[in-house]
Amino acid sequence: MTTAAGYFDRKPNAAPRPGLAHLQADPSSPHTPQRTFSSTFSSPSLSYRAEEEVLVFELGARHLSAGIVGESNPRCRLEFSPETSRRVGDYRQYYPEWQDRPRKRKRDYKWGVDHELWRMDLRDVDLGLVEDKLERVVREAYTKYLLLDSKNKRLVLVLPSLLPHRLLSSILSSIFFNFQTPSITLFSSPALNVVAGGCRAGLVVDIGWDETVITGVYDFREVQVRRTARAMKLVTKFMAELLKGYVDPEAASTKGPEPSEGQERRLPFDLFYDSRYFEFAEEVTSRIAWCPTETGSALQTRGGTNTGKDLPESHKAKAQETISIPSPLPPRKTLQIPFTKLAEPVEKGLLARGTNTHDLDHEEQSLHQLIYATLLSLPPDVRGVCMSRIIITGGGSNIAGFKTRLLSEVTSIFEKRGWNPVQGRAAEEVRRLAENPKLDKPRGPETMTAPQVEDEITEKLKKDKAKRSVAELGGEIRGVETLGAWAGGSLVASLKVKGVVEIERDTFLAHGLAGAKKESELVAATQRMSLGARTALGEKNGWTLGPWA
């Protein structure tokens, strides 16, 4: 029997236990690597950095484009229409034969008012309804397309460069109140169109719905802005007039009373009481409308209609073609419209064909005349850069052949007039004498000039300067393609560029637009701040509206 002392005196066996050898890991076989756990107060072995998602919204009078920063295209493009403004539970649009039912006539109905979010004339605009429409569309973009929570998401909002302060306050209030956005950065659409075109300067021609805005941008700053009422709204009116002549020729031949002063132009038939004509005319305009790229003798004449005899050679074959368009309006029939007729609404609406220039008011100028006037009003150095970077954007830029036709019209005006702001017979006579000087002018005595000796050092300096300098294209009428204002906003926001107008939610809810300060006040307050820790406080001293001030 073994005693207790003998048991403790035994030495342990140093050899490994044979029964556990098969449980050791084989380095050649796949196995789970060991994990290292950090303590409570030490940093983890792997660092994860959550990227802050920034959203980009482009808001126009008739649409909203929404997407995420860094992408090339928006996730969705939602348009404002009567169908998206119906109440919850209103399913009348799905009833059988709903399209054929007569509509109730409205008094003082304006063309396309149900398809707009706002108008520049706020006298007849219900701002509460504007906020409700905007809330519904933005909520639909969040829940159906973006699939993101609106909280803690900074927003980059692309807006036109000129908006009434009441309308701008309603837009910001609707987003801040309903979606708890922490901050909103405002960017103007002309500057972002220049960024999306890969330029620092250019002449942006934005053919919108209610007006066309021509903006001269130099070094990402707006230096000149001009506007005209010739836009897509007027084009759809002329297209509706053309279609009505084939749908109901008897109604189109009757002329209504002339509008009084201050009233909107009415068509010679009663189309403004039925929105179906608007939808039909807009669809035909967006799908089939076109513009001749060349100017023939018939296109340059004022008044009359094109029969196809005097058209350029490239369009003579298409002049005799007929387009079949099914009409959704009662009586339902197929309309047979000549191909050349579909170009007349674009030329009348945007190029003012058939109207003398001296009969047009300042806000009714044609697009090519307004582009030339805008370039003429710019300084010479800015003009030389902008004239070679003409950016045509907006809904009207998608019309086939219109960009080429517009640039050719501007080129023809430039070749005819030059950059002389004076027009008339006297200016033409001076220009003619300058081009063809008289040969019988008295000449002075001929003087012998000594040949100039070339300086080697000056020539070497000129060559070195030419090698280092980058040649800039200027002094030539040229168009530049752009990816759009939304793509420009996505690019600028992805670069973490600080915007001029950054509005915090708490500051806006406390003071509204009244809390915005002038740029001179912010500069003076920043200069009074001393260096050091107080510099960070000076950055939150206030905010400004920038170009919207």
Side-chain angles (χ1 to χ4, degrees):
M1 183 175 179
T2 307
T3 60
Y7 177 79
F8 290 105
D9 291 341
R10 289 185 305 173
K11 296 181 179 180
N13 190 5
R17 300 176 62 182
L20 301 177
H22 66 282
L23 298 180
Q24 297 181 359
D26 187 5
S28 62
S29 62
H31 60 280
T32 304
Q34 296 182 356
R35 298 179 181 180
T36 57
F37 297 95
S38 60
S39 62
T40 307
F41 301 101
S42 62
S43 59
S45 58
L46 296 178
S47 61
Y48 297 96
R49 184 170 59 92
E51 291 288 343
E52 183 182 13
E53 293 179 339
V54 183
L55 305 179
V56 182
F57 284 1
E58 181 188 0
L59 187 60
R62 293 195 55 194
H63 76 280
L64 171 71
S65 300
I68 302 176
V69 164
E71 298 180 351
S72 59
N73 294 316
R75 294 285 184 92
C76 62
R77 179 185 171 89
L78 306 176
E79 296 186 355
F80 301 97
S81 64
E83 305 301 331
T84 58
S85 302
R86 296 185 181 276
R87 297 179 179 178
V88 178
D90 188 357
Y91 302 107
R92 288 179 295 175
Q93 55 180 333
Y94 303 107
Y95 289 171
E97 300 180 357
W98 167 252
Q99 297 294 335
D100 297 337
R101 294 185 180 183
R103 300 293 191 268
K104 184 179 179 180
R105 294 191 172 188
K106 301 179 181 179
R107 292 184 177 181
D108 299 332
Y109 176 76
K110 295 184 178 181
W111 183 254
V113 67
D114 294 336
H115 298 259
E116 299 173 353
L117 178 61
W118 73 68
R119 295 189 304 275
M120 287 300 178
D121 188 1
L122 299 181
R123 290 176 294 181
D124 300 331
V125 177
D126 186 1
L127 295 179
L129 183 60
V130 171
E131 295 181 7
D132 295 339
K133 287 183 178 181
L134 182 61
E135 178 191 356
R136 173 175 290 190
V137 173
V138 172
R139 195 173 300 277
E140 181 181 357
Y142 272 118
T143 55
K144 289 186 178 181
Y145 300 97
L146 299 178
L147 303 178
L148 294 172
D149 187 10
S150 60
K151 297 180 180 180
N152 301 326
K153 296 293 187 300
R154 293 195 306 109
L155 182 63
V156 174
L157 189 59
V158 183
L159 292 174
S161 58
L162 180 61
L163 279 181
H165 281 187
R166 293 175 54 197
L167 181 59
L168 180 60
S169 177
S170 299
I171 294 173
L172 296 177
S173 300
S174 177
I175 298 177
F176 278 133
F177 273 109
N178 299 312
F179 302 100
Q180 289 79 38
T181 303
S183 65
I184 297 179
T185 304
L186 300 184
F187 285 105
S188 62
S189 55
L192 294 182
N193 277 305
V194 172
V195 172
C199 306
R200 295 177 62 92
L203 189 72
V204 181
V205 183
D206 190 358
I207 309 174
W209 167 246
D210 195 46
E211 62 181 1
T212 298
V213 184
I214 301 178
T215 309
V217 180
Y218 187 77
D219 201 11
F220 304 121
R221 295 175 181 268
E222 299 180 8
V223 294
Q224 186 65 252
V225 179
R226 296 206 176 189
R227 301 170 182 271
T228 178
R230 296 192 173 273
M232 294 306 297
K233 185 176 184 179
L234 188 60
V235 174
T236 54
K237 286 183 180 181
F238 286 120
M239 183 63 74
E241 183 178 355
L242 175 66
L243 296 175
K244 184 62 177 180
Y246 290 91
V247 173
D248 193 357
E250 296 181 358
S253 60
T254 59
K255 294 185 178 181
E258 293 294 332
S260 59
E261 184 178 358
Q263 291 184 353
E264 189 178 2
R265 178 185 180 275
R266 299 285 182 174
L267 295 179
F269 43 85
D270 196 7
L271 283 183
F272 287 88
Y273 300 104
D274 199 341
S275 61
R276 292 176 296 178
Y277 282 100
F278 172 82
E279 298 172 358
F280 182 38
E282 187 182 24
E283 184 177 3
V284 173
T285 303
S286 60
R287 289 173 177 262
I288 316 177
W290 66 288
C291 183
T293 57
E294 301 176 7
T295 57
S297 58
L299 298 178
Q300 295 177 352
T301 56
R302 299 302 181 186
T305 57
N306 284 333
T307 59
K309 297 180 180 180
D310 298 329
L311 287 174
E313 295 294 336
S314 58
H315 302 307
K316 284 184 178 180
K318 299 180 180 179
Q320 305 300 329
E321 295 182 4
T322 303
I323 305 297
S324 300
I325 302 177
S327 174
L329 307 175
R332 298 179 180 271
K333 61 180 181 180
T334 302
L335 308 180
Q336 302 294 332
I337 303 177
F339 182 73
T340 54
K341 288 287 185 180
L342 297 173
E344 292 182 2
V346 180
E347 293 179 321
K348 289 181 180 180
L350 300 180
L351 302 178
R353 187 176 72 89
T355 307
N356 293 324
T357 306
H358 57 79
D359 294 335
L360 299 175
D361 205 349
H362 288 287
E363 64 270 9
E364 296 178 351
Q365 294 292 324
S366 58
L367 265 62
H368 55 283
Q369 293 286 349
L370 193 61
I371 290 175
Y372 175 78
T374 306
L375 290 173
L376 193 61
S377 62
L378 292 174
D381 53 346
V382 180
R383 181 198 307 156
V385 177
C386 291
M387 66 182 297
S388 60
R389 296 166 179 83
I390 299 179
I391 301 174
I392 304 175
T393 183
S397 63
N398 299 324
I399 298 177
F402 181 72
K403 290 184 179 180
T404 307
R405 172 68 179 278
L406 185 60
L407 293 177
S408 64
E409 292 284 353
V410 176
T411 305
S412 63
I413 297 177
F414 168 67
E415 293 176 353
K416 181 180 179 181
R417 302 178 185 176
W419 298 119
N420 187 10
V422 182
Q423 301 180 16
R425 296 181 180 179
E428 293 179 359
E429 184 68 19
V430 172
R431 189 181 302 109
R432 186 180 64 83
L433 294 177
E435 293 176 356
N436 301 318
K438 296 181 179 180
L439 299 178
D440 54 350
K441 286 185 178 181
R443 299 182 179 180
E446 297 182 358
T447 57
M448 299 297 294
T449 58
Q452 297 180 358
V453 180
E454 296 182 357
D455 189 2
E456 297 181 357
I457 299 177
T458 305
E459 293 295 332
K460 186 176 180 180
L461 292 176
K462 288 182 179 180
K463 291 181 181 180
D464 294 341
K465 184 178 180 181
K467 291 180 181 179
R468 293 192 302 267
S469 62
V470 179
E472 294 185 0
L473 181 62
E476 177 186 355
I477 301 294
R478 186 176 67 103
V480 175
E481 293 288 341
T482 180
L483 298 177
W486 191 94
S490 176
L491 176 62
V492 171
S494 63
L495 298 176
K496 306 293 180 64
V497 177
K498 185 178 180 180
V500 177
V501 184
E502 291 188 359
I503 308 174
E504 300 293 336
R505 181 175 183 270
D506 298 336
T507 306
F508 180 81
L509 295 182
H511 305 286
L513 291 183
K517 298 182 179 181
K518 298 181 180 180
E519 295 184 3
S520 59
E521 297 178 358
L522 292 181
V523 172
T526 306
Q527 292 177 354
R528 288 194 301 267
M529 299 297 292
S530 61
L531 298 177
R534 299 183 64 184
T535 306
L537 299 176
E539 295 178 357
K540 299 182 180 180
N541 192 29
W543 57 281
T544 176
L545 285 176
W548 291 273

